[in-house]
């Protein structure tokens, strides 16, 4: 058991460190630090690895990403276990216990995501004000600024002062609008559009929040409906259990779409535009071919993974390991 626990912890720590280095590299694109530009070659040179690894964007993202990973795992366990509890069988007791563990993990992870998301919002307000404005479809600078609950064409329902509260933790904080930020970017970087594609940025941000909160809400309902050994009978809850493992994946994907689309037109914010990062020696046909190959490959892997998950979710639990014989019970020669 100790060997197994040590292996699990070693794998977890190793995975966490690997994830942090990846997040640090991605965060550098949003807030480049610890570098200088070589005047002879025009290339960026690393001057301070500590500054890169302690980038405030990376520090904010690692907690958010870790909580998202636990949310995905908790939702998978909750969904499968609740589905088995609502279809009684010989393993119902074990799945009831797993349902509670998964639901509590999901609920706590959802709260951790909200808290770490608030931290990321503060960092985004300081480092990427254009992304902050685009996420709320805020055209003009406002103080205080209301939060856009939903927007369709000219209809924009806003909660007064909430965006100022989220961005500055004050009710009358000043939040810059896209038009003013665009004018400032033109004055600093030259002619061009420095505003991301607002509809994708706006709606992916809301999809991430809504689906993430809904996942936590379903976990809370599951805990309430299974309290005291109760077995829920609601078909709607059964449907939620089936869809629960997919919901955090949708929220996570929407979050990454928001992160990357909200940074446009920059590949590295304020340093390198996406259009300038295209390799001149790669043709459009080569890009299309590589994307098609990756798409087909990951689609095949996804089908295999889903089939395996469904097979093991429907099947019985593995049989318990046979008891290990004691020393006295081992066969021996007798004279």
């Amino acid at each position: 058991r100790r060997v197994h626990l040590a292996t699990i912890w070693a794998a977890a720590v190793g995975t966490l460190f690997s994830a942090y280095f990846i997040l640090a590299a991605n965060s550098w694109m949003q807030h480049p630090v610890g570098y200088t530009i070589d005047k002879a070659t025009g290339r960026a040179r690393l001057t301070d690895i500590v500054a890169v690894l302690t980038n405030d964007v990376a520090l904010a993202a690692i907690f958010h990403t870790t909580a998202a990973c636990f949310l995905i795992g908790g939702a998978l366990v909750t969904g499968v276990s609740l589905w088995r509890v609502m279809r009684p069988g010989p393993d119902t007791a074990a799945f009831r216990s797993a349902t509670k563990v998964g639901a509590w993990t999901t609920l706590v992870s959802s709260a951790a995501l909200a808290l770490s998301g608030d931290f990321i919002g503060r960092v985004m307000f300081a480092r990427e004000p254009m992304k902050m404005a685009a996420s709320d479809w805020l055209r003009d600078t406002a103080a205080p600024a209301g939060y856009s609950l939903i927007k369709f064409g000219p209809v924009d329902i806003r909660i007064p002062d909430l965006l100022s509260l989220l961005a500055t933790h004050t009710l009358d904080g000043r939040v810059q609008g896209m038009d003013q930020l665009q004018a400032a970017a033109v004055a600093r970087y030259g002619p061009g559009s420095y505003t991301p594609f607002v509809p994708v940025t706006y709606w992916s941000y809301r999809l991430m929040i809504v689906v993430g909160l809904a996942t936590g809400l379903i976990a809370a309902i599951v805990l309430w409906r299974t309290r005291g050994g109760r077995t829920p009978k609601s078909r709607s809850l059964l449907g939620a259990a089936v869809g629960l493992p997919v919901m955090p994946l949708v929220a996570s994907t929407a979050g990454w779409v928001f992160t990357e689309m909200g940074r446009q037109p920059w590949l590295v914010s304020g340093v390198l535009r996406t259009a300038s990062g295209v390799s001149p020696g790669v043709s459009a046909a080569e890009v299309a071919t590589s994307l098609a190959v990756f798409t087909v490959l990951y689609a095949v892997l996804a089908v295999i993974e889903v089939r395996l998950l469904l097979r093991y979710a429907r099947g019985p639990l593995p049989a318990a390991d046979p008891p290990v014989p004691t020393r006295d019970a081992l066969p021996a020669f007798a004279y």
Side-chain angles (χ1 to χ4, degrees), residues 181-192 194 265-266 268-273:
L181 290 168
Q182 166 67 21
V186 169
R188 181 176 181 179
Y189 302 112
Y194 298 92
W266 296 106
V268 179
S269 296
V271 178
L272 180 66
R273 299 190 195 187

Side-chain angles (χ1 to χ4, degrees), residues 138 140-146 164 172-177:
L138 185 67
D140 296 309
T141 301
S164 292
D172 57 352
R174 180 174 178 269
V175 182
Q176 300 181 78

Side-chain angles (χ1 to χ4, degrees), residues 64 114 117-118 120-122 124 131-137 147-149 162-163 166-167 197-213 250-251 253-259 261-262:
H64 200 61
D118 176 70
I120 287 182
R122 295 290 304 280
M124 182 172 64
K131 182 188 290 186
M132 169 68 78
S135 71
D136 204 67
W137 217 309
Y147 179 84
S148 177
L149 190 62
L162 183 56
L163 183 60
L166 293 174
F197 188 55
V198 181
V200 173
T201 307
Y202 179 89
W203 287 110
S204 61
Y205 180 66
R206 274 146 189 79
L207 181 63
M208 172 188 67
I209 293 175
V210 170
V211 177
L213 290 177
V250 173
T253 301
W256 279 111
V257 170
F258 165 71
T259 298
M261 290 296 293

Side-chain angles (χ1 to χ4, degrees), residues 85-283:
V85 168
M86 297 177 71
R87 299 164 62 91
D91 301 322
T92 299
F95 281 111
R96 182 182 297 279
S97 176
T99 298
K100 293 183 178 180
V101 172
W104 274 114
T105 301
T106 304
L107 187 60
V108 173
S109 300
S110 181
L113 276 169
L115 293 175
S116 59
D118 176 70
F119 184 26
I120 287 182
R122 295 290 304 280
V123 173
M124 182 172 64
F125 172 72
R127 304 302 183 193
E128 298 180 290
M130 180 63 84
K131 182 188 290 186
M132 169 68 78
S135 71
D136 204 67
W137 217 309
L138 185 67
R139 284 291 177 188
D140 296 309
T141 301
Y147 179 84
S148 177
L149 190 62
I150 190 169
K151 177 178 173 61
F152 284 106
V155 178
D156 189 1
I157 303 174
R158 290 185 172 268
I159 303 176
D161 306 341
L162 183 56
L163 183 60
S164 292
L165 181 62
L166 293 174
T168 67
H169 283 191
T170 63
L171 291 175
D172 57 352
R174 180 174 178 269
V175 182
Q176 300 181 78
M178 289 183 287
D179 291 345
Q180 289 73 31
L181 290 168
Q182 166 67 21
V186 169
R188 181 176 181 179
Y189 302 112
S193 174
Y194 298 92
T195 303
F197 188 55
V198 181
V200 173
T201 307
Y202 179 89
W203 287 110
S204 61
Y205 180 66
R206 274 146 189 79
L207 181 63
M208 172 188 67
I209 293 175
V210 170
V211 177
L213 290 177
T215 304
L217 177 61
I218 293 174
I221 294 173
V222 169
L223 287 172
W224 178 255
R225 298 292 296 274
T226 56
R227 71 191 189 284
R230 292 174 174 84
T231 299
K233 303 295 184 181
S234 172
R235 295 183 63 87
S236 59
L237 189 59
L238 180 60
V242 173
L244 192 61
V246 181
M247 293 175 64
L249 299 177
V250 173
S252 179
T253 301
W256 279 111
V257 170
F258 165 71
T259 298
E260 302 304 325
M261 290 296 293
R263 190 174 66 239
Q264 300 307 309
W266 296 106
L267 188 61
V268 179
S269 296
V271 178
L272 180 66
R273 299 190 195 187
T274 303
S276 302
V278 178
S279 301
V282 179
S283 66

Side-chain angles (χ1 to χ4, degrees), residues 277-299:
V278 178
S279 301
V282 179
S283 66
E286 291 172 327
V287 173
T289 301
S290 61
L291 286 176
V293 170
F294 276 115
T295 301
V296 172
L297 176 61
Y298 279 105

